[in-house]
Amino acid sequence: NLKINIAIDGPAGAGKSTIARLVAKELSYIYVDTGSMYRAVTWYMLKYGIKPESSDEVLRHARNMVLELMPGADGQKVLVNGQDVSPLIRSREVNGMVSQYAQNEGLREHLVALQREMAARKGVVMDGRDIGTTVLPDAELKIFMTATVKERALRRFKEMGDAQGLTLEQLEKDISERDRLDEGREISPLRCAEDAIVLDTTNMDIPQVVETIVSFCRTHT
Ligand code: C5P
């Protein structure tokens, strides 16, 4: 039973993390949330006041950071220099800044190298923006997950309750802005790989999406 690599890309809030985690569980694969790596770096830079424009500084600090991903009770834990920052990387501050740090070419190269290492032995479900196009162009299965901005904002809204005091309209605006930056950046923009399967999940529930991807995987192995 040979293992493959599965790349899942798509815009913010399409449900990639939830789906990728469940697909990994179903197949006994390792789940890698690459967004959490960009988020952890962003959290660190904000904490130490290093601006995204200071690209050399950002890269120098990122290279010196010890970034670890490990399985947690609900999803994946992210550690920065041994500190579990998982609850801290989903804040509105990080949401608002992450796409700016993610434009840093050197930082991307550094994180992409780490991501490729994690996938070297196969059996990985990796989600992000550039997995099928850049990180794992040879992944045996590539999924591009989409949903309308409205639906994505609504899912986020339900997931958060009003914990962060945001309205649905604000969320929709935040998500559109992040899409715009991720699609428009020069280095590895959010783009559907030519050989990816496009999955519009607007009218699908979670088990349906998981089942669809798992069945694609079975036809590959
Ligand atoms: O997936 P998530 O929403 O957690 O990603 C947060 C941000 O990290 C994205 O909006 C994007 O700017 C950046 N990112 C990226 N490349 C990836 C994963 C995430 O640029 N592979």
Side-chain angles (χ1 to χ4, degrees):
N1 201 355
L2 271 156
K3 292 195 167 183
I4 64 167
N5 278 334
I6 305 177
I8 303 184
D9 291 298
K16 298 183 301 293
S17 315
T18 306
I19 300 298
R21 180 162 50 78
L22 292 171
V23 168
K25 196 172 161 199
E26 184 80 20
L27 299 169
S28 302
Y29 276 25
I30 294 166
Y31 162 50
V32 178
D33 171 6
T34 62
S36 75
M37 300 169 78
Y38 289 92
R39 286 173 179 277
V41 168
T42 300
W43 169 82
Y44 179 98
M45 300 301 157
L46 292 175
K47 179 174 155 100
Y48 291 103
I50 303 157
K51 300 219 152 56
E53 305 84 78
S54 317
S55 17
D56 293 348
E57 275 284 275
V58 168
L59 184 56
R60 192 168 60 77
H61 280 86
R63 283 205 176 115
N64 285 320
M65 266 169 72
V66 181
L67 199 57
E68 293 169 286
L69 304 187
M70 50 181 69
D74 41 28
Q76 186 200 256
K77 280 203 302 190
V78 193
L79 275 62
V80 172
N81 299 330
Q83 183 192 349
D84 182 5
V85 297
S86 320
L88 307 171
I89 62 168
R90 311 272 159 202
S91 68
R92 197 178 185 208
E93 288 69 39
V94 171
N95 279 342
M97 291 301 289
V98 60
S99 295
Q100 299 194 40
Y101 289 98
Q103 295 184 32
N104 184 313
E105 185 170 12
L107 173 65
R108 297 201 70 85
E109 278 171 10
H110 174 64
L111 294 183
V112 166
L114 295 178
Q115 292 154 10
R116 286 187 180 144
E117 243 170 69
M118 295 176 190
R121 270 162 298 171
K122 304 266 182 185
V124 163
V125 184
M126 190 176 281
D127 86 39
R129 301 292 185 289
D130 59 342
I131 311 306
T133 54
T134 305
V135 181
L136 305 176
D138 296 330
E140 288 81 356
L141 177 60
K142 301 179 183 179
I143 306 287
F144 194 82
M145 263 179 63
T146 62
T148 59
V149 175
K150 251 208 162 62
E151 175 65 19
R152 290 187 278 132
L154 193 63
R155 288 177 189 171
R156 262 292 135 90
F157 189 69
K158 287 181 184 158
E159 178 184 287
M160 302 194 327
D162 57 2
Q164 301 195 34
L166 291 176
T167 65
L168 188 56
E169 288 67 35
Q170 280 171 318
L171 267 176
E172 212 175 307
K173 241 184 90 202
D174 287 1
I175 287 179
S176 306
E177 176 59 11
R178 203 135 62 84
D179 286 352
R180 193 182 66 76
L181 290 174
D182 290 343
E183 286 163 4
R185 74 168 167 242
E186 220 162 294
I187 304 115
S188 327
L190 168 65
R191 193 160 58 68
C192 180
E194 263 173 42
D195 50 351
I197 299 169
V198 179
L199 209 55
D200 183 339
T201 69
T202 307
N203 297 306
M204 292 171 87
D205 64 17
I206 293 169
Q208 280 176 323
V209 181
V210 172
E211 219 171 282
T212 305
I213 297 176
V214 168
S215 73
F216 285 144
C217 176
R218 302 240 192 262
T219 69
H220 267 275
T221 50

